[in-house]
């Protein structure tokens, strides 16, 4: 049995969950999220808790059981609290600034890089070398953070580039003098 899939999901007040046969819709103060449900998984709501169960003990059903529970729990957390990812820019002259709803990045290229925010995502730059990405969809926040990091990955010799705040970059020693 899936230990993650067995635990119920607590639904706080102000969150509305709509269950169909093939999808679940979660609405809250920050927005609305929708997820399709596989045929081998059933989702039921009992009071202020949501339970995820599987129909049979097939291999695919067992693998989807914990996944669907985690996805629905992330949807409930997203529409109530939201999610945040922080990026750090390291390098001389590298900086970021919020321009309208998008982001303008100076990353050592001959031109500034403009990155537009998808709907539901907001950027903040508390410092010129720090970017905060906020949104209510966990998958979208992570994908936007990965796309921004991809613009200038941290290089292994000097460590220059864009990295997550808690990321550790392994450094190479470079050429050795004889």
């Amino acid at each position: 049995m899936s230990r993650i899939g067995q635990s119920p999901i607590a639904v706080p007040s102000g969150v509305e969950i709509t269950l169909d046969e093939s999808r679940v819709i979660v609405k809250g103060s920050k927005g609305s999220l929708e997820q399709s449900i596989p045929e081998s998984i059933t989702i039921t709501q009992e009071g202020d808790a949501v339970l995820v169960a599987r129909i049979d003990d097939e291999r695919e059903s067992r693998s989807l059981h914990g996944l669907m529970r985690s996805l629905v729990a992330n949807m409930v957390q997203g529409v109530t609290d939201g999610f945040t990812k922080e990026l750090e820019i390291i390098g001389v002259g590298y900086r970021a600034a919020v321009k309208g709803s998008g982001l303008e990045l100076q990353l050592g290229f001959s031109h500034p890089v403009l990155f537009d925010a998808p709907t539901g995502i907001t950027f903040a730059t508390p410092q010129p070398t720090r970017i905060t990405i906020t949104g209510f969809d966990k998958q979208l926040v992570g994908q936007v953070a990965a796309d921004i990091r991809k613009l200038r990955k941290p290089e292994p010799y000097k460590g220059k580039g864009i990295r997550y705040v808690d990321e550790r970059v392994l450094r190479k020693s470079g050429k050795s003098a004889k």
Side-chain angles (χ1 to χ4, degrees), residues 59-79:
R59 181 180 182 96
E60 184 179 355
S61 300
R62 288 193 316 254
S63 66
L64 290 173
H65 188 198
L67 171 70
M68 288 309 299
R69 192 258 177 217
S70 295
L71 290 176
V72 174
N74 286 340
M75 290 166 60
V76 170
Q77 182 183 351
V79 297

Side-chain angles (χ1 to χ4, degrees), residues 9-71:
I9 303 165
V11 179
S13 61
V15 175
E16 178 186 335
I17 295 183
T18 307
L19 299 170
D20 291 341
E21 293 117 24
S22 63
R23 63 190 176 129
V24 60
I25 301 170
V26 180
K27 293 181 184 176
S29 61
K30 297 210 180 260
S32 176
L33 292 171
E34 182 177 332
Q35 178 69 41
S36 62
I37 303 170
E39 294 178 3
S40 60
I41 302 295
T42 60
I43 298 178
T44 57
Q45 186 171 6
E46 296 179 4
D48 60 347
V50 174
L51 300 172
V52 179
R54 61 178 186 251
I55 295 174
D56 52 18
D57 259 356
E58 295 293 321
R59 181 180 182 96
E60 184 179 355
S61 300
R62 288 193 316 254
S63 66
L64 290 173
H65 188 198
L67 171 70
M68 288 309 299
R69 192 258 177 217
S70 295
L71 290 176

Side-chain angles (χ1 to χ4, degrees), residues 44 64 109 134 141:
T44 57
L64 290 173
F109 300 122
T134 310
V141 169

